[in-house]
């Protein structure tokens, strides 16, 4: 299995600012995934982060808004830029190991 | 484009009763997951189903997969209050890939 540590667990941010979320996994993995869960909604994939290359973004998500870093095989960051109240969500990182998909504990972001 | 649909979206039931949550998906996939999410928490992995006819059971929960019908079920037997949560199914979007497409979630409330 994989243990994923995500930081911060929650934050309240002012609109117009940026927040960087960190995700550390205890195993080396090729791909890490970032998901967003808006209030009362399901999970939507933001992007896939591969080590050594640019992240691949899903439709509706752009690098300028959600820049991602992937400096090594155990770590990734997601930045939520120029935040607005619509960005208030839970952000989760995920990794796949063998046939399992593991999730971090999530970052609950509130933008005021 | 892969779509995953769950029903029902909301389910209120009494302790001791049985019920089934359905998960339909629109294109061929080789992996289906069931997760549980408690309010304010991350996802807890319940089952990974890898092949047609797969059936897995854990306690009062049993999951099955019919790849020909593109249908998975999560059956709850003799429900207890502790099973109150939101349940998500998720499907691997592209064969060999690892990113997940989630259903809308089923919010299950079990009343004493």
């Amino acid at each position: 299995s994989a243990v994923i540590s995500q930081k911060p667990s929650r934050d309240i941010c002012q609109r117009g600012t940026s927040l960087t979320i960190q995700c550390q996994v205890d195993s080396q993995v090729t791909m890490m995934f970032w998901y967003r869960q808006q209030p009362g909604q399901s999970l939507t994939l933001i992007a896939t982060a591969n080590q050594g290359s640019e992240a691949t973004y899903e439709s509706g998500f752009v690098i300028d808004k959600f820049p991602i870093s992937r400096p090594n095989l155990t770590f990734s960051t997601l930045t939520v830029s120029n935040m607005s109240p619509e960005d208030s969500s839970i952000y989760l990182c995920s990794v796949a190991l063998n046939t399992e998909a593991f999730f971090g504990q999530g970052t609950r972001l509130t933008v005021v | 484009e892969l779509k995953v649909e769950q029903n029902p979206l909301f389910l209120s039931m009494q302790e001791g009763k049985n019920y089934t949550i359905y998960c339909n998906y629109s294109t061929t996939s080789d992996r289906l997951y069931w997760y549980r999410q408690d309010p304010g928490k991350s996802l807890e992995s319940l089952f990974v189903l890898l092949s047609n006819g797969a059936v897995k059971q854990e306690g009062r929960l049993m999951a099955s997969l019919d790849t020909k019908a593109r249908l998975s079920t999560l059956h709850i037997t003799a429900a207890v209050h502790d099973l109150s949560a939101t349940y998500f199914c998720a499907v691997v979007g592209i064969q060999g890939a690892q990113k997940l497409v989630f259903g809308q979630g089923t919010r299950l409330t079990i009343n004493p």
Side-chain angles (χ1 to χ4, degrees):
Chain A
S1 68
V3 176
I4 302 174
S5 299
Q6 213 176 307
K7 292 194 290 189
S9 59
R10 58 178 62 226
D11 208 341
I12 301 173
C13 300
Q14 296 290 324
R15 68 178 68 201
T17 63
S18 298
L19 176 72
T20 296
I21 303 167
Q22 299 180 2
C23 181
Q24 177 80 50
V25 62
D26 67 346
S27 304
Q28 292 188 335
V29 292
T30 305
M31 287 186 281
M32 296 178 76
F33 303 91
W34 287 98
Y35 290 84
R36 180 178 73 181
Q37 186 177 27
Q38 294 177 298
Q41 303 296 312
S42 185
L43 282 77
T44 301
L45 181 66
I46 298 172
T48 303
N50 295 313
Q51 194 269 334
S53 64
E54 281 201 5
T56 303
Y57 289 82
E58 299 298 308
S59 176
F61 298 97
V62 295
I63 187 171
D64 289 347
K65 177 67 176 176
F66 298 102
I68 287 171
S69 78
R70 184 78 203 275
N72 57 53
L73 291 174
T74 63
F75 187 79
S76 178
T77 66
L78 170 76
T79 299
V80 186
S81 303
N82 188 25
M83 288 184 284
S84 67
E86 292 70 36
D87 294 320
S88 297
S89 297
I90 299 174
Y91 294 86
L92 299 104
C93 68
S94 173
V95 302
L97 209 56
N98 300 320
T99 58
E100 294 266 5
F102 301 95
F103 287 82
Q105 65 268 50
T107 297
R108 181 180 292 271
L109 170 62
T110 302
V111 184
V112 297
Chain B
E1 180 189 350
L2 173 61
K3 293 191 185 301
V4 182
E5 292 193 355
Q6 284 180 239
N7 72 85
L9 301 184
F10 299 92
L11 179 56
S12 180
M13 54 193 291
Q14 289 198 316
E15 280 191 327
K17 300 291 187 184
N18 304 333
Y19 210 82
T20 301
I21 300 170
Y22 297 88
C23 175
N24 288 92
Y25 53 99
S26 61
T27 63
T28 301
S29 177
D30 60 2
R31 220 176 304 160
L32 188 140
Y33 300 82
W34 283 98
Y35 292 93
R36 168 182 172 147
Q37 186 178 40
D38 292 296
K41 304 289 187 182
S42 186
L43 299 180
E44 174 190 349
S45 179
L46 296 174
F47 301 108
V48 182
L49 302 170
L50 301 175
S51 60
N52 187 42
V55 177
K56 291 195 174 180
Q57 183 163 4
E58 181 74 33
R60 300 175 188 275
L61 300 178
M62 183 174 71
S64 66
L65 177 62
D66 181 344
T67 58
K68 293 179 182 175
R70 298 176 187 160
L71 170 69
S72 179
T73 60
L74 180 66
H75 187 72
I76 303 152
T77 302
V80 293
H81 179 68
D82 286 351
L83 291 178
S84 296
T86 299
Y87 292 85
F88 291 96
C89 65
V91 177
V92 169
I94 301 172
Q95 195 163 8
Q98 296 174 319
K99 59 183 183 179
L100 300 180
V101 177
F102 280 81
Q104 310 97 307
T106 297
R107 186 174 298 179
L108 174 63
T109 303
I110 298 169
N111 304 302

